[in-house]
Amino acid sequence: PGEIFDVREFRAGDKLHRIHWTLSARMDDLLVKDYSLPKSPAVVLFLPEGAMGENGSLDFMASLSFALLDLKCSHYVAWYSESRNDVVRTRVEDEESYYLAVTFFLKDGTAKSGGERLERYREKYKGEPFLHSVVADENACISVDGGDPVKITELQEEILLR
């Protein structure tokens, strides 16, 4: 459970630990806390493999992260950490966390992970859904939600033409 979303009347089958005792005493009726799902970002950006990325892919991902931040869209930046031998992530929700994410990535370094970043991420963070994934590879291509990879330079040209 995340945060208290609402309070409602007690129903048969509700667990006793969810009763809002203070409010129930004031209202002279049993009221139950209704929880929302955790507030999790809907977008996960998977940074390119290789310490700095190739062909500007790190630049592109950093730009995309900053653009999402500018639109007030909090998101995760994820990468495969060579030093931890695992997928790690950093939540980006403001300018400070953006710069921390880029710094952590550059400091941490990455390793070739055989294109399994998304699968490893889902395995490690199961139960934490996301709506969209953006994956960059070492060939300067990105894939959105598992779609066909698109060359970053082609995508940049398409964006510039709009």
Side-chain angles (χ1 to χ4, degrees), residues 63-109:
S63 299
L64 182 56
S65 178
F66 198 80
L68 287 171
L69 181 62
D70 198 38
L71 294 171
K72 310 272 189 275
C73 175
S74 64
H75 55 281
Y76 285 121
V77 176
W79 64 90
Y80 184 82
S81 168
E82 184 176 46
S83 61
R84 297 179 195 163
N85 196 27
D86 201 3
V87 173
V88 295
R89 71 179 183 187
T90 301
R91 185 178 179 132
V92 177
E93 49 192 17
D94 56 24
E95 195 170 332
E96 183 179 349
S97 59
Y98 164 79
Y99 287 115
L100 282 173
V102 173
T103 302
F104 291 154
F105 172 69
L106 293 173
K107 201 177 202 184
D108 197 24

Side-chain angles (χ1 to χ4, degrees), residues 137-157:
D137 67 19
E138 66 277 4
N139 298 319
C141 292
I142 63 165
S143 171
V144 178
D145 296 332
D148 292 333
V150 176
K151 201 81 162 137
I152 290 173
T153 53
E154 294 169 11
L155 188 63
Q156 288 170 329
E157 287 172 12

Side-chain angles (χ1 to χ4, degrees), residues 1-2 4 18 26 32 35 48 60 63 69 77 88 97 108 123 136 146:
I4 295 176
R18 295 185 80 181
R26 271 193 235 146
V32 177
Y35 292 99
F60 180 80
S63 299
L69 181 62
V77 176
V88 295
S97 59
D108 197 24
E123 183 180 312

